[in-house]
Amino acid sequence: DGGITQSPKYLFRKEGQNVTLSCEQNLNHDAMYWYRQDPGQGLRLIYYSQIVNDFQKGDIAEGYSVSREKKESFPLTVTSAQKNPTAFYLCASSTPGDKNIQYFGAGTRLSVL
Amino acid sequence: AQKVTQAQTEISVVEKEDVTLDCVYETRDTTYYLFWYKQPPSGELVFLIRRNSFDEQNEISGRYSWNFQKSTSSFNFTITASQVVDSAVYFCALSVYGGATNKLIFGTGTLLAVQP
């Protein structure tokens, strides 16, 4: 089955720790995205990538980092510089061949211990 | 600047009632796209519809229908004969044509609770 897999489903971070959220897609999509969702708010774009080895900051990139070494994978690292990391993180992918519609994974819920 | 407003934070209806979710958008671009997504309790966003700015025809898909009116910058979503399985958060989103990617601007969402 084609889709987007995010892991883990739940993640806990200690003070001063970096944590990495995984996002893998087997849809052969070119573009991938990371969003943050806070209670009662819409999704806000953290980073996005159009092609391998290239990515751009979104609206709230501070305290986060990404890499895009493979087309299928777009991991997000929440660094210790992100002072308020507790949120629900969603990964998405899209392709021009499908009208650039973004399809989403099931999300990772990150909490601070 | 682009913006999406979903003024209804929460709506509660009884099963079989019709319900309309409002969405108002702002953009100065002439080419843009509007979307609706559903977020059930499981958390994953499910794509429902994409509409481009040049197509103002209303669309119906089963119990779902969408009313796009450029004159009022609105893209409202109606569920007819609601069911408990329709309970979810619904997001309206806007994107401006950007080539290979599609940066979405989301509204804050409307939580729909359908009571049996």
Side-chain angles (χ1 to χ4, degrees), chain A residues 33-49:
Chain A
Y33 312 79
W34 274 105
Y35 291 91
R36 170 180 172 140
Q37 184 179 15
D38 293 283
Q41 297 192 32
L43 281 69
R44 292 181 290 167
L45 183 64
I46 305 172
Y47 268 99
Y48 65 102
S49 167

Side-chain angles (χ1 to χ4, degrees), chain A residues 9 31 33 35 37 40-43 45 48-50 88 90 94 96 99-106, chain B residues 35 37 39 42-47 50 89 91 97-109:
Chain A
K9 192 172 177 67
Y33 312 79
Y35 291 91
Q37 184 179 15
Q41 297 192 32
L43 281 69
L45 183 64
Y48 65 102
S49 167
Q50 298 184 31
F88 188 54
L90 285 152
S94 69
K99 301 180 182 179
N100 279 329
I101 294 168
Q102 289 187 27
Y103 296 95
F104 286 79
Chain B
F35 300 78
Y37 282 87
Q39 186 178 40
S42 60
E44 179 177 350
L45 263 72
V46 178
F47 166 75
R50 170 189 182 269
V89 179
F91 289 99
Y97 180 71
T101 56
N102 182 25
K103 293 171 65 177
L104 290 174
I105 295 113
F106 283 86
T108 51

Side-chain angles (χ1 to χ4, degrees), chain A residues 23 32-34 47-49 66-68 72-76:
Chain A
C23 178
M32 297 186 74
Y33 312 79
W34 274 105
Y47 268 99
Y48 65 102
S49 167
V66 293
S67 62
R68 187 85 187 276
E72 306 80 25
S73 179
F74 191 41
L76 173 74

Side-chain angles (χ1 to χ4, degrees), chain B residues 4 6 23-24 34-37 75 90-94 105-107:
Chain B
V4 175
Q6 294 180 256
C23 173
V24 174
L34 295 164
F35 300 78
W36 277 95
Y37 282 87
F75 186 44
Y90 290 87
F91 289 99
C92 180
L94 164 73
I105 295 113
F106 283 86

